[in-house]
Amino acid sequence: MTIELVDGKAGVAHISSEDKAIIHQAKFSKSDVVFDWGDAFKCSMSSSNRATIGTGCASIQGLDWHITSAESVTISNGSQGMKRNDIICAHYHCNSSGDTGDVGIESVELTVLKGTPNATAAADPTIPSGKILSGAVDAYQPLWRIPLDGITVGTPVRLFTPRGALWDSVTQTCQLKFQDTSSFVPVAYGASNTITVKDGLIFVDLSSFRSTVKVGNFTVWLFKAGVKPSRTVNLGCVANLNGATYGKQARWNTDGSVTIIGGVGSSDIVQCFQRIIPVPDGVEFRTPLRID
């Protein structure tokens, strides 16, 4: 039978991890997710061979897992004159017939995928791409990159952006500010300088301005607060030039800023207008982790 009331009483135990993975992927995302909870898996090097991962909550391909007390993993020694990247991952495993223990028992643990040493440039190791719902018994969620230069361990690099609580994500807003209000003089009573994401749509509301400089492709608006896109989003035509017969296109960058394509002249009056576009496939919106 292929239809099931997953959360209903059936008289027997019937809710499987597969059920929950399917529903979580459908509700939230097929992507791996780290939530903004606890220490959000903060990573610190307690020694040159030991990385400590703080508390946090996440989902790997729809299966929820968490760390409620700091965990540590071992980083292998580097080699003199060689560079290397190691990746700390969450490793999902399901016991198969070749394992010891009961078949089908699932678990998650932290593991380190060791990179290949190179004399000139380090590269990340390949992350195995097993799909749990397709029957893979192993899956990996990358969390941190640990760079090594010779025997020196560098600063850990975060490979995820914590996602806020669901009720904070119904309407997601990016607040922008002008890069320089003397170079780009905003009009009086201008727009809100926001990009809002809601119901699968992106609402662009940029304020008009007068340019006092001549620049090419230029980041006129900088990120101030809110969310950033996981990939660059082409916003299309967002403005007209006063007295000209052509408009200006823009792109929303992964650092949250907005770039005018083609630039502006030293006396241009850029008349922005509201624009609504669909969210491109595969683009997600995340709130940067605040470090106090």
Side-chain angles (χ1 to χ4, degrees):
M1 190 172 181
T2 58
I3 183 170
E4 179 185 6
L5 182 60
V6 174
D7 290 333
K9 182 177 180 179
V12 294
H14 68 102
I15 301 176
S16 67
S17 61
E18 180 184 28
D19 291 330
K20 302 309 291 186
I22 291 171
I23 291 171
H24 287 171
Q25 285 189 13
K27 283 183 176 179
F28 310 132
S29 176
K30 291 183 179 180
S31 303
D32 295 338
V33 179
V34 173
F35 300 102
D36 189 6
W37 180 86
D39 294 328
F41 299 140
K42 181 179 179 180
C43 179
S44 59
M45 298 301 300
S46 51
S47 72
S48 59
N49 294 102
R50 204 75 177 159
T52 299
I53 306 297
T55 59
C57 182
S59 177
I60 180 170
Q61 297 184 33
L63 295 178
D64 295 338
W65 63 278
H66 61 203
I67 296 176
T68 55
S69 183
E71 296 272 344
S72 294
V73 292
T74 299
I75 306 299
S76 299
N77 288 330
S79 304
Q80 199 70 253
M82 304 294 283
K83 301 177 186 298
R84 194 182 86 219
N85 284 345
D86 290 356
I87 302 294
I88 299 175
C89 296
H91 173 207
Y92 160 90
H93 179 70
C94 178
N95 281 350
S96 62
S97 58
D99 294 329
T100 58
D102 294 335
V103 174
I105 296 298
E106 298 166 295
S107 62
V108 67
E109 64 178 1
L110 296 178
T111 191
V112 179
L113 300 181
K114 185 177 178 181
T116 301
N118 187 286
T120 55
D124 291 347
T126 299
I127 309 295
S129 57
K131 300 297 183 184
I132 296 170
L133 290 179
S134 296
V137 297
D138 291 286
Y140 296 82
Q141 180 176 2
L143 300 173
W144 291 88
R145 175 187 299 116
I146 307 297
L148 293 96
D149 189 349
I151 60 174
T152 301
V153 179
T155 302
V157 178
R158 193 177 63 202
L159 301 179
F160 60 89
T161 300
R163 183 176 296 178
L166 295 176
W167 48 86
D168 294 334
S169 304
V170 174
T171 298
Q172 299 172 294
T173 301
C174 173
Q175 182 66 57
L176 300 160
K177 61 182 179 180
F178 280 106
Q179 193 264 359
D180 179 354
T181 54
S182 61
S183 299
F184 311 106
V185 183
V187 301
Y189 310 110
S192 63
N193 275 342
T194 58
I195 299 177
T196 302
V197 182
K198 185 176 182 180
D199 298 331
L201 297 173
I202 297 174
F203 299 81
V204 184
D205 189 34
L206 302 175
S207 184
S208 301
F209 64 92
R210 174 175 55 86
S211 176
T212 63
V213 295
K214 181 179 181 181
V215 291
N217 289 358
F218 197 79
T219 303
V220 174
W221 292 274
L222 300 179
F223 176 81
K224 184 177 180 181
V227 298
K228 301 178 181 181
S230 60
R231 297 208 311 253
T232 299
V233 176
N234 293 319
L235 299 176
C237 189
V238 298
N240 290 325
L241 292 186
N242 187 37
T245 57
Y246 59 91
K248 285 293 178 183
Q249 298 197 21
R251 62 172 177 253
W252 187 15
N253 305 306
T254 56
D255 64 359
S257 65
V258 173
T259 299
I260 288 284
I261 307 302
V264 293
S266 58
S267 60
D268 285 345
I269 296 177
V270 181
Q271 299 175 316
C272 297
F273 47 81
Q274 292 183 340
R275 180 168 173 77
I276 303 173
I277 62 172
V279 174
D281 289 343
V283 176
E284 298 179 347
F285 304 93
R286 301 163 182 171
T287 304
L289 179 64
R290 186 179 69 186
I291 306 296
D292 294 324

